[in-house]
Amino acid sequence: MNPAIIAIGAVFAVGGALAERLASTWPPDEAQRRPIGWRTAVLAVVSGVVGAGVAARSQLPWWATGVYLVLLALLLVLTATDLEQRRLPHLILDPLILLAIVFVPFNPGVEPMMAIVGAAAAVAFLGALALVVRGGLALGDLYLVAPIGLMLGWPAIFSALFAAAFLSAGTSLVLLATRRVGMRSYIPFGPFLVAGAVLVLLFDDRVLRVVR
């Protein structure tokens, strides 16, 4: 395997562990200060595999691949925080949105119009879903899906949303069956949105390739 890809995977593995540690202490008002445990190890391994996988699959110029990796790193930090504290802090979310917007006219992998349509469709879909499934989605999820839509574009964002919904439903059923949560328990949707985006980046041939 390419040494650069191995290095990227190692950096992301360390970053995943650090993101989980950060989420246990910040933001401090709801931080539980959990000790290092299985979640730390899982996030480290998953982050390393995802970082290396995206770098290996990308057919984009090195600088564009680098932007995707930075966006992915921010998504991983948000995932760790949402899992731990049920929130998507704007201190991480806002730079993610800004970078995704700035990247739109330069991204060789997504046409600008398709990026805009992808983001708009994703926000509209989740907004409509939030009206139907009250309490199931938070405002932060709408902020989060916008940069994901810009990253993936249309129609790839549809696959990401479908994967997120499928993973969320399956996880909820397992947690209910094992009595880890109740019918009224809140399960954060942000990590599933990120998981859907990651699956598209890793397995969808429409992304991470030059189209213009």
Side-chain angles (χ1 to χ4, degrees), residues 57-61 68 107-110 204-212:
R57 279 207 72 247
S58 179
Q59 301 175 25
L60 301 174
Y68 268 98
N107 187 356
V110 180
D204 195 325
D205 292 336
R206 294 172 294 185
V207 298
L208 296 179
R209 63 184 182 87
V210 177
V211 297
R212 64 187 178 97

Side-chain angles (χ1 to χ4, degrees), residues 38-181:
W38 65 268
R39 189 182 293 182
T40 312
V42 169
L43 276 173
V45 171
V46 171
S47 297
V49 171
V50 168
V54 168
R57 279 207 72 247
S58 179
Q59 301 175 25
L60 301 174
W62 65 269
W63 61 269
T65 300
V67 174
Y68 268 98
L69 290 174
V70 172
L71 291 168
L72 184 59
L74 293 172
L75 288 173
L76 291 174
V77 174
L78 289 170
T79 297
T81 308
D82 206 14
L83 284 171
E84 179 67 20
Q85 300 196 28
R86 308 298 191 263
R87 65 165 69 183
L88 295 166
H90 279 278
L91 192 62
I92 306 298
L93 191 57
D94 291 348
L96 171 69
I97 295 171
L98 179 60
L99 179 57
I101 291 173
V102 172
F103 188 43
V104 167
F106 305 102
N107 187 356
V110 180
E111 293 281 354
M113 184 55 66
M114 292 298 98
I116 294 171
V117 171
V123 171
F125 176 78
L126 280 195
L129 189 62
L131 295 176
V132 176
V133 186
R134 295 187 179 274
L137 292 170
L139 182 60
D141 296 324
L142 297 180
Y143 283 111
L144 178 61
V145 80
I148 292 176
L150 294 175
M151 289 170 56
L152 302 179
W154 179 266
I157 184 61
F158 180 80
S159 299
L161 290 174
F162 177 81
F166 181 81
L167 291 171
S168 176
T171 302
S172 298
L173 288 175
V174 171
L175 292 175
L176 283 170
T178 56
R179 298 184 178 180
R180 298 290 298 274
V181 299

